[in-house]
Amino acid sequence: MCFLFLWAGLLSFAYGLLMELAQTILPYREFSLEDLFANTAGVVLALLYLMARDKVKRSLIQTRLWYTWTRIYIRNHLWLNQLSPLQSLASL
């Protein structure tokens, strides 16, 4: 997953750089390092947010799976160890 985030960051940076370079051709626009820095900062913040969200999501999925498997194990364990109605009557 980290590889995917790295590629997304690099492509986003390249897109921002291309947009800044394209502005040098236009007479009413100009190339600005401040804009390039702002674009890069936006990409970094977005990637940090996505990575944190992915980590929380994975944690919740693992917790939910652990909870589900624990419930299934306990339910099956109790069910397998229960006495059948005939055995409980015979013990009387």
Side-chain angles (χ1 to χ4, degrees):
M1 192 56 86
C2 188
F3 183 73
L4 181 64
F5 288 136
L6 180 64
W7 271 109
L10 288 174
L11 288 175
S12 298
F13 173 76
Y15 178 75
L17 181 62
L18 285 174
M19 289 296 106
E20 288 299 319
L21 291 174
Q23 289 179 11
T24 60
I25 300 170
L26 301 172
Y28 54 91
R29 302 291 300 222
E30 62 182 32
F31 178 83
S32 172
L33 283 177
E34 290 85 12
D35 285 344
L36 185 60
F37 177 73
N39 292 343
T40 304
V43 168
V44 169
L45 288 175
L47 289 176
L48 288 174
Y49 167 74
L50 291 174
M51 288 170 57
R53 188 187 70 170
D54 185 59
K55 186 174 182 175
V56 168
K57 186 177 178 183
R58 286 175 188 256
S59 175
L60 287 175
I61 288 172
Q62 288 173 351
T63 303
R64 190 172 300 138
L65 284 175
W66 176 255
Y67 176 72
T68 303
W69 282 108
T70 305
R71 275 187 32 216
I72 290 172
Y73 173 77
I74 290 172
R75 184 186 65 208
N76 290 341
H77 183 71
L78 291 176
W79 179 77
L80 290 173
N81 290 332
Q82 283 180 348
L83 297 175
S84 70
L86 292 177
Q87 288 174 332
S88 60
L89 287 176
S91 65
L92 293 174

Coordinates of all heavy atoms in Angstrom, one line a residue:
M1 N 0.8 -1.2 0.0 CA 0.0 0.0 0.0 C 0.9 1.2 0.0 O 0.5 2.2 -0.6 CB -0.9 0.0 1.2 CG -2.0 1.0 1.2 SD -3.1 1.0 -0.3 CE -4.3 -0.2 0.2
C2 N 2.0 1.2 0.7 CA 2.9 2.3 0.7 C 3.4 2.7 -0.7 O 3.6 3.8 -1.0 CB 4.0 2.0 1.7 SG 5.1 3.4 2.0
F3 N 3.6 1.6 -1.5 CA 4.1 1.8 -2.8 C 3.1 2.6 -3.6 O 3.4 3.5 -4.4 CB 4.3 0.4 -3.5 CG 4.9 0.5 -4.9 CD1 6.2 0.9 -5.1 CD2 4.1 0.1 -5.9 CE1 6.7 0.9 -6.4 CE2 4.6 0.2 -7.2 CZ 5.9 0.6 -7.4
L4 N 1.8 2.3 -3.4 CA 0.7 3.0 -4.1 C 0.7 4.5 -3.7 O 0.5 5.4 -4.5 CB -0.6 2.3 -3.8 CG -1.8 2.9 -4.5 CD1 -1.8 2.8 -6.0 CD2 -3.1 2.3 -3.9
F5 N 0.9 4.7 -2.4 CA 0.9 6.1 -1.9 C 2.1 6.9 -2.5 O 2.0 8.1 -2.9 CB 0.9 6.2 -0.4 CG -0.4 5.8 0.2 CD1 -0.4 5.0 1.3 CD2 -1.6 6.3 -0.3 CE1 -1.6 4.6 1.9 CE2 -2.7 5.9 0.4 CZ -2.7 5.1 1.4
L6 N 3.3 6.2 -2.6 CA 4.4 6.8 -3.2 C 4.2 7.2 -4.6 O 4.5 8.3 -5.1 CB 5.6 5.9 -3.1 CG 7.0 6.4 -3.6 CD1 7.4 7.6 -2.8 CD2 8.0 5.3 -3.6
W7 N 3.6 6.3 -5.4 CA 3.3 6.6 -6.8 C 2.3 7.7 -6.9 O 2.4 8.6 -7.8 CB 2.9 5.4 -7.6 CG 4.0 4.6 -8.1 CD1 4.4 3.4 -7.7 CD2 4.8 5.0 -9.2 NE1 5.5 3.0 -8.5 CE2 5.8 4.0 -9.4 CE3 4.9 6.1 -10.0 CZ2 6.8 4.1 -10.4 CZ3 5.9 6.2 -11.0 CH2 6.8 5.2 -11.2
A8 N 1.3 7.7 -6.1 CA 0.3 8.8 -6.2 C 1.0 10.2 -5.8 O 0.7 11.2 -6.5 CB -0.8 8.5 -5.2
G9 N 1.9 10.2 -4.9 CA 2.5 11.4 -4.5 C 3.4 11.9 -5.6 O 3.5 13.1 -6.0
L10 N 4.2 11.0 -6.2 CA 5.1 11.4 -7.3 C 4.3 11.9 -8.5 O 4.7 12.9 -9.2 CB 6.0 10.2 -7.7 CG 7.1 9.8 -6.8 CD1 7.8 8.6 -7.2 CD2 8.0 11.0 -6.6
L11 N 3.2 11.2 -8.9 CA 2.4 11.7 -10.0 C 1.7 13.0 -9.7 O 1.6 13.9 -10.6 CB 1.3 10.6 -10.3 CG 1.8 9.3 -11.0 CD1 0.7 8.3 -11.2 CD2 2.5 9.6 -12.3
S12 N 1.3 13.2 -8.5 CA 0.7 14.5 -8.1 C 1.7 15.6 -8.2 O 1.4 16.7 -8.7 CB 0.1 14.4 -6.7 OG -1.0 13.4 -6.7
F13 N 2.9 15.3 -7.7 CA 4.0 16.3 -7.8 C 4.3 16.7 -9.2 O 4.5 17.8 -9.6 CB 5.2 15.9 -7.0 CG 6.4 16.8 -7.2 CD1 6.4 18.0 -6.6 CD2 7.4 16.5 -8.1 CE1 7.5 18.9 -6.7 CE2 8.5 17.3 -8.3 CZ 8.5 18.5 -7.6
A14 N 4.4 15.6 -10.1 CA 4.7 15.8 -11.5 C 3.6 16.6 -12.2 O 3.9 17.5 -13.0 CB 4.9 14.5 -12.2
Y15 N 2.4 16.4 -11.8 CA 1.3 17.1 -12.4 C 1.4 18.6 -12.0 O 1.2 19.5 -12.8 CB -0.1 16.5 -12.0 CG -1.3 17.3 -12.5 CD1 -1.7 17.2 -13.8 CD2 -2.0 18.1 -11.6 CE1 -2.8 17.8 -14.3 CE2 -3.1 18.8 -12.1 CZ -3.5 18.7 -13.4 OH -4.5 19.4 -13.9
G16 N 1.6 18.9 -10.7 CA 1.8 20.2 -10.3 C 2.9 20.9 -11.0 O 2.8 22.1 -11.4
L17 N 4.1 20.2 -11.1 CA 5.2 20.8 -11.8 C 4.9 21.1 -13.3 O 5.2 22.2 -13.8 CB 6.4 19.8 -11.8 CG 7.7 20.3 -12.4 CD1 8.2 21.6 -11.7 CD2 8.7 19.2 -12.4
L18 N 4.2 20.2 -14.0 CA 3.8 20.4 -15.4 C 2.8 21.6 -15.5 O 2.9 22.4 -16.4 CB 3.1 19.2 -15.9 CG 4.1 18.0 -16.3 CD1 3.3 16.8 -16.7 CD2 5.1 18.5 -17.4
M19 N 1.9 21.8 -14.5 CA 1.0 22.9 -14.6 C 1.8 24.2 -14.4 O 1.5 25.2 -15.1 CB 0.0 22.8 -13.5 CG -1.1 21.7 -13.7 SD -2.0 22.1 -15.2 CE -1.4 20.9 -16.4
E20 N 2.8 24.2 -13.5 CA 3.6 25.4 -13.3 C 4.5 25.7 -14.6 O 4.6 26.9 -15.0 CB 4.5 25.3 -12.1 CG 3.8 25.3 -10.8 CD 3.1 26.6 -10.6 OE1 3.6 27.7 -10.9 OE2 1.9 26.6 -10.1
L21 N 5.0 24.7 -15.2 CA 5.8 24.9 -16.4 C 4.9 25.3 -17.6 O 5.3 26.1 -18.4 CB 6.5 23.6 -16.8 CG 7.6 23.2 -15.9 CD1 8.2 21.8 -16.3 CD2 8.7 24.2 -15.9
A22 N 3.7 24.8 -17.6 CA 2.7 25.3 -18.7 C 2.4 26.7 -18.5 O 2.1 27.4 -19.5 CB 1.5 24.4 -18.6
Q23 N 2.4 27.3 -17.3 CA 2.1 28.7 -17.1 C 3.2 29.6 -17.6 O 3.0 30.8 -17.8 CB 1.9 28.9 -15.6 CG 0.6 28.3 -15.1 CD 0.4 28.6 -13.6 OE1 1.2 29.4 -13.0 NE2 -0.5 27.9 -13.0
T24 N 4.4 29.1 -17.8 CA 5.5 29.9 -18.4 C 5.2 30.3 -19.9 O 5.6 31.3 -20.4 CB 6.8 29.2 -18.3 OG1 6.8 28.0 -19.1 CG2 7.2 29.0 -16.9
I25 N 4.4 29.4 -20.6 CA 4.0 29.7 -22.0 C 3.0 30.8 -22.1 O 3.0 31.6 -23.0 CB 3.5 28.4 -22.6 CG1 4.6 27.3 -22.5 CG2 3.1 28.6 -24.0 CD1 4.2 25.9 -22.9
L26 N 2.1 30.8 -21.1 CA 1.0 31.8 -21.2 C 1.5 33.2 -20.8 O 2.2 33.4 -19.8 CB -0.1 31.4 -20.2 CG -0.7 30.0 -20.5 CD1 -1.7 29.6 -19.4 CD2 -1.4 30.0 -21.8
P27 N 1.1 34.2 -21.6 CA 1.6 35.6 -21.3 C 1.0 36.2 -20.0 O 1.7 37.0 -19.4 CB 1.2 36.4 -22.6 CG 0.1 35.6 -23.2 CD 0.3 34.2 -22.8
Y28 N -0.1 35.8 -19.6 CA -0.8 36.4 -18.4 C -0.5 35.6 -17.2 O -1.1 35.9 -16.1 CB -2.3 36.6 -18.7 CG -3.0 35.3 -19.1 CD1 -3.6 34.5 -18.2 CD2 -3.1 35.0 -20.5 CE1 -4.2 33.3 -18.6 CE2 -3.7 33.8 -20.9 CZ -4.3 33.0 -20.0 OH -4.9 31.9 -20.4
R29 N 0.2 34.5 -17.3 CA 0.6 33.7 -16.1 C 2.1 33.6 -16.0 O 2.8 33.9 -16.9 CB 0.0 32.3 -16.2 CG -1.5 32.1 -16.4 CD -2.2 32.5 -15.2 NE -1.9 31.6 -14.1 CZ -2.8 31.1 -13.3 NH1 -4.0 31.4 -13.4 NH2 -2.4 30.4 -12.3
E30 N 2.6 33.2 -14.8 CA 4.0 33.1 -14.6 C 4.3 31.9 -13.7 O 3.5 31.5 -12.9 CB 4.6 34.3 -14.0 CG 4.1 34.7 -12.7 CD 4.7 36.0 -12.2 OE1 5.0 36.9 -13.0 OE2 4.8 36.1 -11.0
F31 N 5.5 31.3 -13.9 CA 6.0 30.2 -13.0 C 6.3 30.8 -11.6 O 6.9 31.9 -11.5 CB 7.2 29.6 -13.6 CG 7.8 28.5 -12.8 CD1 7.4 27.2 -12.9 CD2 8.9 28.8 -12.0 CE1 7.9 26.2 -12.2 CE2 9.4 27.8 -11.2 CZ 9.0 26.5 -11.3
S32 N 5.9 30.1 -10.6 CA 6.2 30.5 -9.3 C 6.6 29.3 -8.4 O 5.9 28.3 -8.3 CB 4.9 31.1 -8.7 OG 5.0 31.4 -7.3
L33 N 7.7 29.5 -7.7 CA 8.2 28.4 -6.8 C 7.3 28.3 -5.6 O 7.1 27.2 -5.0 CB 9.6 28.7 -6.4 CG 10.7 28.4 -7.4 CD1 12.1 28.8 -6.8 CD2 10.7 27.0 -7.8
E34 N 6.7 29.4 -5.2 CA 5.8 29.4 -4.1 C 4.5 28.5 -4.4 O 4.1 27.8 -3.6 CB 5.3 30.8 -3.7 CG 6.4 31.7 -3.1 CD 7.2 32.4 -4.1 OE1 6.9 32.4 -5.3 OE2 8.3 32.9 -3.8
D35 N 4.0 28.6 -5.6 CA 2.9 27.8 -6.1 C 3.3 26.3 -6.1 O 2.6 25.4 -5.7 CB 2.4 28.2 -7.4 CG 1.6 29.5 -7.4 OD1 1.2 29.9 -6.3 OD2 1.3 30.0 -8.5
L36 N 4.5 26.1 -6.6 CA 5.0 24.7 -6.6 C 5.2 24.1 -5.2 O 4.8 23.0 -4.9 CB 6.4 24.6 -7.4 CG 6.9 23.2 -7.6 CD1 6.0 22.4 -8.4 CD2 8.3 23.3 -8.3
F37 N 5.7 25.0 -4.3 CA 5.8 24.5 -2.9 C 4.4 24.3 -2.3 O 4.2 23.3 -1.6 CB 6.5 25.6 -2.1 CG 6.6 25.3 -0.6 CD1 7.5 24.3 -0.2 CD2 5.9 25.9 0.3 CE1 7.6 24.0 1.2 CE2 6.0 25.6 1.6 CZ 6.8 24.6 2.1
A38 N 3.4 25.2 -2.6 CA 2.1 25.0 -2.1 C 1.5 23.7 -2.6 O 0.8 22.9 -1.9 CB 1.2 26.2 -2.4
N39 N 1.7 23.4 -3.9 CA 1.2 22.2 -4.5 C 1.8 20.9 -3.8 O 1.1 20.0 -3.5 CB 1.5 22.1 -6.0 CG 0.7 23.1 -6.8 OD1 -0.3 23.7 -6.3 ND2 1.2 23.4 -8.0
T40 N 3.1 21.0 -3.6 CA 3.8 19.9 -2.9 C 3.3 19.7 -1.5 O 3.2 18.6 -1.0 CB 5.3 20.1 -3.0 OG1 5.7 20.4 -4.3 CG2 6.1 19.0 -2.4
A41 N 3.2 20.8 -0.8 CA 2.7 20.7 0.6 C 1.3 20.1 0.6 O 1.0 19.3 1.5 CB 2.6 22.1 1.2
G42 N 0.4 20.5 -0.3 CA -0.9 19.9 -0.4 C -0.8 18.4 -0.7 O -1.6 17.6 -0.1
V43 N 0.1 18.0 -1.6 CA 0.2 16.5 -1.9 C 0.7 15.8 -0.6 O 0.2 14.7 -0.3 CB 1.2 16.3 -3.0 CG1 1.6 14.9 -3.2 CG2 0.6 16.8 -4.3
V44 N 1.7 16.4 0.1 CA 2.2 15.7 1.3 C 1.1 15.6 2.4 O 1.0 14.5 3.0 CB 3.4 16.5 1.8 CG1 3.8 16.0 3.2 CG2 4.6 16.3 0.9
L45 N 0.4 16.7 2.6 CA -0.7 16.6 3.6 C -1.8 15.6 3.2 O -2.3 14.8 4.1 CB -1.3 18.0 3.8 CG -0.5 19.0 4.5 CD1 -1.1 20.4 4.5 CD2 -0.2 18.5 5.9
A46 N -2.1 15.5 1.9 CA -3.1 14.6 1.5 C -2.6 13.1 1.7 O -3.4 12.3 2.1 CB -3.5 14.8 0.0
L47 N -1.4 12.9 1.4 CA -0.8 11.6 1.5 C -0.7 11.2 3.0 O -1.0 10.0 3.4 CB 0.6 11.5 0.9 CG 0.6 11.5 -0.7 CD1 2.0 11.4 -1.2 CD2 -0.2 10.3 -1.2
L48 N -0.4 12.1 3.9 CA -0.3 11.8 5.3 C -1.7 11.5 5.8 O -1.9 10.5 6.6 CB 0.2 13.0 6.1 CG 1.7 13.2 5.9 CD1 2.1 14.5 6.6 CD2 2.5 12.1 6.5
Y49 N -2.7 12.2 5.3 CA -4.1 11.9 5.7 C -4.5 10.5 5.3 O -5.1 9.7 6.0 CB -5.1 13.0 5.2 CG -6.5 12.6 5.3 CD1 -7.2 12.6 6.5 CD2 -7.2 12.1 4.1 CE1 -8.5 12.2 6.6 CE2 -8.5 11.8 4.2 CZ -9.2 11.8 5.4 OH -10.5 11.4 5.5
L50 N -4.2 10.2 4.0 CA -4.6 8.9 3.4 C -3.9 7.8 4.1 O -4.5 6.7 4.4 CB -4.4 8.9 1.9 CG -5.3 9.8 1.1 CD1 -4.8 9.8 -0.4 CD2 -6.7 9.4 1.2
M51 N -2.7 8.0 4.5 CA -1.9 6.9 5.1 C -2.5 6.7 6.6 O -2.6 5.5 7.0 CB -0.4 7.2 5.2 CG 0.2 7.1 3.8 SD 1.9 7.7 3.7 CE 2.7 6.9 5.0
A52 N -2.8 7.8 7.3 CA -3.4 7.6 8.6 C -4.7 7.0 8.5 O -5.1 6.1 9.3 CB -3.5 9.0 9.3
R53 N -5.5 7.4 7.6 CA -6.9 6.8 7.4 C -6.8 5.3 7.1 O -7.5 4.5 7.6 CB -7.6 7.5 6.3 CG -9.1 7.1 6.2 CD -9.8 7.6 5.0 NE -9.2 7.0 3.8 CZ -9.7 7.1 2.6 NH1 -10.7 7.9 2.4 NH2 -9.2 6.5 1.6
D54 N -5.8 4.9 6.2 CA -5.6 3.5 5.9 C -5.2 2.7 7.1 O -5.7 1.6 7.3 CB -4.6 3.4 4.8 CG -4.4 2.0 4.3 OD1 -5.4 1.4 3.8 OD2 -3.3 1.5 4.3
K55 N -4.3 3.3 7.9 CA -3.9 2.6 9.1 C -5.0 2.4 10.1 O -5.2 1.3 10.7 CB -2.7 3.4 9.8 CG -2.1 2.7 11.0 CD -0.9 3.4 11.5 CE -0.3 2.7 12.6 NZ 0.9 3.3 13.1
V56 N -5.8 3.4 10.3 CA -7.0 3.3 11.2 C -8.0 2.3 10.7 O -8.5 1.4 11.4 CB -7.7 4.6 11.4 CG1 -9.0 4.5 12.1 CG2 -6.8 5.6 12.2
K57 N -8.2 2.3 9.4 CA -9.1 1.4 8.7 C -8.7 -0.1 8.9 O -9.4 -1.0 9.2 CB -9.3 1.7 7.2 CG -10.3 0.9 6.5 CD -10.4 1.4 5.1 CE -11.4 0.6 4.3 NZ -11.4 1.1 2.9
R58 N -7.4 -0.3 8.7 CA -6.8 -1.7 8.9 C -6.9 -2.1 10.3 O -7.2 -3.3 10.6 CB -5.4 -1.7 8.4 CG -5.2 -1.7 6.9 CD -3.7 -1.6 6.6 NE -3.5 -1.4 5.2 CZ -3.2 -2.4 4.3 NH1 -2.9 -3.6 4.8 NH2 -3.0 -2.1 3.1
S59 N -6.7 -1.2 11.2 CA -6.8 -1.5 12.6 C -8.2 -1.9 13.0 O -8.4 -2.9 13.7 CB -6.3 -0.3 13.5 OG -6.5 -0.6 14.8
L60 N -9.2 -1.1 12.5 CA -10.6 -1.5 12.8 C -11.0 -2.8 12.2 O -11.7 -3.6 12.8 CB -11.5 -0.3 12.3 CG -11.5 1.0 13.0 CD1 -12.3 2.0 12.3 CD2 -11.9 0.8 14.5
I61 N -10.5 -3.1 11.0 CA -10.8 -4.3 10.3 C -10.3 -5.5 11.2 O -10.9 -6.5 11.4 CB -10.3 -4.4 8.9 CG1 -11.2 -3.5 8.0 CG2 -10.3 -5.8 8.3 CD1 -10.7 -3.3 6.6
Q62 N -9.0 -5.4 11.6 CA -8.4 -6.4 12.4 C -9.1 -6.6 13.7 O -9.3 -7.7 14.2 CB -6.9 -6.1 12.6 CG -6.1 -6.2 11.4 CD -4.6 -5.8 11.6 OE1 -4.3 -5.2 12.6 NE2 -3.8 -6.0 10.6
T63 N -9.5 -5.5 14.3 CA -10.2 -5.6 15.6 C -11.5 -6.2 15.4 O -12.0 -7.1 16.2 CB -10.4 -4.2 16.2 OG1 -9.1 -3.6 16.4 CG2 -11.1 -4.2 17.5
R64 N -12.3 -5.9 14.4 CA -13.6 -6.4 14.1 C -13.4 -7.9 13.8 O -14.2 -8.7 14.2 CB -14.2 -5.7 12.9 CG -15.7 -6.1 12.7 CD -16.4 -5.2 11.7 NE -16.3 -3.8 12.1 CZ -16.1 -2.8 11.3 NH1 -15.9 -3.0 10.0 NH2 -16.1 -1.6 11.7
L65 N -12.4 -8.3 13.0 CA -12.2 -9.7 12.7 C -11.8 -10.5 14.0 O -12.3 -11.6 14.2 CB -11.0 -9.9 11.7 CG -11.4 -9.6 10.3 CD1 -10.2 -9.7 9.4 CD2 -12.5 -10.5 9.7
W66 N -11.0 -9.9 14.8 CA -10.7 -10.6 16.1 C -11.9 -10.8 16.9 O -12.1 -11.9 17.5 CB -9.6 -9.8 16.8 CG -9.3 -10.3 18.2 CD1 -9.7 -9.9 19.4 CD2 -8.5 -11.5 18.4 NE1 -9.2 -10.7 20.4 CE2 -8.5 -11.7 19.8 CE3 -7.9 -12.4 17.6 CZ2 -7.8 -12.7 20.4 CZ3 -7.2 -13.5 18.2 CH2 -7.2 -13.6 19.6
Y67 N -12.7 -9.7 17.0 CA -14.0 -9.8 17.8 C -14.9 -10.9 17.2 O -15.4 -11.7 18.0 CB -14.6 -8.5 17.8 CG -16.0 -8.4 18.5 CD1 -16.1 -8.6 19.9 CD2 -17.2 -8.4 17.8 CE1 -17.3 -8.6 20.5 CE2 -18.4 -8.3 18.4 CZ -18.4 -8.4 19.8 OH -19.7 -8.5 20.4
T68 N -15.0 -10.9 15.9 CA -15.9 -11.9 15.3 C -15.4 -13.3 15.5 O -16.2 -14.2 15.9 CB -16.0 -11.6 13.8 OG1 -16.5 -10.3 13.6 CG2 -17.0 -12.6 13.1
W69 N -14.1 -13.6 15.3 CA -13.6 -14.9 15.5 C -13.6 -15.3 16.9 O -13.8 -16.5 17.2 CB -12.1 -15.0 14.9 CG -12.1 -15.1 13.5 CD1 -11.7 -14.1 12.6 CD2 -12.4 -16.2 12.7 NE1 -11.8 -14.5 11.3 CE2 -12.3 -15.8 11.3 CE3 -12.9 -17.4 12.9 CZ2 -12.5 -16.7 10.3 CZ3 -13.2 -18.3 11.9 CH2 -13.0 -17.9 10.6
T70 N -13.4 -14.4 17.8 CA -13.5 -14.8 19.2 C -15.0 -15.2 19.6 O -15.2 -16.2 20.3 CB -13.1 -13.6 20.1 OG1 -11.8 -13.2 19.7 CG2 -13.1 -13.9 21.6
R71 N -15.9 -14.4 19.1 CA -17.3 -14.8 19.3 C -17.7 -16.1 18.8 O -18.3 -17.0 19.4 CB -18.3 -13.7 18.7 CG -18.5 -12.5 19.6 CD -19.5 -11.6 19.1 NE -20.6 -12.2 18.3 CZ -21.1 -11.7 17.2 NH1 -20.8 -10.5 16.8 NH2 -22.1 -12.3 16.6
I72 N -17.2 -16.4 17.6 CA -17.5 -17.7 16.9 C -16.8 -18.8 17.7 O -17.5 -19.9 18.0 CB -17.0 -17.7 15.5 CG1 -17.9 -16.8 14.6 CG2 -17.0 -19.1 14.9 CD1 -17.3 -16.6 13.2
Y73 N -15.6 -18.6 18.2 CA -14.9 -19.6 18.9 C -15.6 -19.9 20.2 O -15.9 -21.1 20.6 CB -13.5 -19.2 19.2 CG -12.8 -20.2 20.1 CD1 -12.3 -21.4 19.7 CD2 -12.6 -19.9 21.5 CE1 -11.7 -22.3 20.5 CE2 -12.0 -20.8 22.3 CZ -11.5 -22.0 21.9 OH -10.9 -22.9 22.7
I74 N -16.0 -18.9 21.0 CA -16.7 -19.1 22.3 C -18.0 -19.7 22.1 O -18.4 -20.7 22.8 CB -16.8 -17.7 23.0 CG1 -15.5 -17.2 23.4 CG2 -17.8 -17.8 24.1 CD1 -15.5 -15.8 24.0
R75 N -18.8 -19.3 21.0 CA -20.1 -19.9 20.8 C -20.0 -21.4 20.5 O -20.7 -22.2 21.0 CB -20.8 -19.1 19.7 CG -22.2 -19.7 19.4 CD -22.8 -19.0 18.2 NE -22.1 -19.4 17.0 CZ -21.9 -18.7 15.9 NH1 -22.5 -17.5 15.8 NH2 -21.3 -19.1 14.9
N76 N -19.0 -21.7 19.6 CA -18.8 -23.1 19.2 C -18.3 -23.9 20.4 O -18.7 -25.1 20.5 CB -17.9 -23.2 18.0 CG -18.5 -22.7 16.7 OD1 -19.8 -22.6 16.7 ND2 -17.7 -22.4 15.8
H77 N -17.4 -23.4 21.1 CA -16.8 -24.1 22.3 C -17.9 -24.4 23.3 O -18.0 -25.5 23.8 CB -15.7 -23.3 22.9 CG -15.0 -24.0 24.0 ND1 -14.2 -25.0 23.8 CD2 -15.1 -23.7 25.4 CE1 -13.8 -25.4 25.0 NE2 -14.3 -24.7 26.0
L78 N -18.8 -23.4 23.6 CA -19.9 -23.6 24.5 C -20.9 -24.6 24.0 O -21.4 -25.5 24.7 CB -20.6 -22.3 24.8 CG -19.8 -21.3 25.7 CD1 -20.5 -20.0 25.8 CD2 -19.4 -21.9 27.0
W79 N -21.1 -24.5 22.7 CA -22.1 -25.5 22.1 C -21.6 -26.9 22.1 O -22.3 -27.8 22.4 CB -22.4 -25.0 20.6 CG -23.4 -25.9 19.9 CD1 -24.7 -25.9 20.1 CD2 -23.0 -26.9 19.0 NE1 -25.3 -26.9 19.3 CE2 -24.3 -27.5 18.6 CE3 -21.9 -27.3 18.4 CZ2 -24.3 -28.5 17.6 CZ3 -21.9 -28.4 17.5 CH2 -23.1 -28.9 17.1
L80 N -20.3 -27.1 21.8 CA -19.8 -28.4 21.8 C -19.7 -29.0 23.2 O -19.8 -30.2 23.3 CB -18.4 -28.4 21.1 CG -18.3 -28.1 19.7 CD1 -16.9 -28.0 19.2 CD2 -19.0 -29.2 18.9
N81 N -19.6 -28.2 24.2 CA -19.4 -28.7 25.5 C -20.8 -28.8 26.3 O -20.8 -29.2 27.4 CB -18.5 -27.9 26.4 CG -17.0 -28.1 25.9 OD1 -16.7 -29.1 25.4 ND2 -16.2 -27.0 26.0
Q82 N -21.8 -28.4 25.6 CA -23.1 -28.5 26.3 C -23.6 -30.0 26.3 O -23.3 -30.8 25.5 CB -24.2 -27.7 25.5 CG -24.1 -26.2 25.7 CD -25.2 -25.5 24.9 OE1 -25.8 -26.1 24.0 NE2 -25.4 -24.2 25.2
L83 N -24.3 -30.2 27.3 CA -24.9 -31.6 27.4 C -26.2 -31.6 26.6 O -26.9 -30.6 26.5 CB -25.3 -31.9 28.9 CG -24.1 -32.0 29.9 CD1 -24.6 -32.2 31.3 CD2 -23.2 -33.1 29.5
S84 N -26.4 -32.7 26.0 CA -27.7 -32.9 25.2 C -28.8 -33.0 26.2 O -28.6 -33.4 27.4 CB -27.6 -34.1 24.3 OG -27.7 -35.3 25.1
P85 N -30.1 -32.7 25.8 CA -31.2 -32.9 26.7 C -31.3 -34.2 27.3 O -31.7 -34.4 28.5 CB -32.4 -32.5 25.8 CG -31.8 -31.7 24.7 CD -30.4 -32.2 24.5
L86 N -31.0 -35.3 26.6 CA -31.1 -36.7 27.1 C -30.1 -36.9 28.2 O -30.4 -37.6 29.2 CB -30.9 -37.7 26.0 CG -32.1 -37.7 25.0 CD1 -31.8 -38.7 23.9 CD2 -33.4 -38.1 25.6
Q87 N -28.9 -36.4 28.0 CA -27.9 -36.6 29.1 C -28.2 -35.8 30.3 O -28.0 -36.3 31.4 CB -26.5 -36.0 28.5 CG -25.9 -37.0 27.5 CD -24.6 -36.3 26.9 OE1 -24.5 -35.1 26.9 NE2 -23.7 -37.2 26.5
S88 N -28.8 -34.6 30.2 CA -29.2 -33.9 31.4 C -30.3 -34.6 32.1 O -30.4 -34.5 33.3 CB -29.6 -32.4 31.0 OG -30.7 -32.4 30.1
L89 N -31.2 -35.2 31.4 CA -32.3 -36.0 32.1 C -31.8 -37.2 32.7 O -32.2 -37.6 33.8 CB -33.4 -36.3 31.0 CG -34.3 -35.2 30.6 CD1 -35.3 -35.7 29.5 CD2 -35.1 -34.6 31.7
A90 N -30.8 -37.8 32.1 CA -30.2 -39.1 32.7 C -29.5 -38.8 34.0 O -29.3 -39.6 34.8 CB -29.3 -39.7 31.7
S91 N -28.9 -37.6 34.1 CA -28.2 -37.2 35.3 C -29.1 -37.0 36.5 O -28.6 -36.9 37.6 CB -27.2 -36.0 35.0 OG -28.0 -34.9 34.8
L92 N -30.3 -36.8 36.3 CA -31.3 -36.6 37.4 C -31.5 -37.8 38.1 O -31.5 -38.6 38.7 CB -32.6 -36.0 36.9 CG -32.6 -34.6 36.3 CD1 -33.9 -34.3 35.7 CD2 -32.2 -33.6 37.4

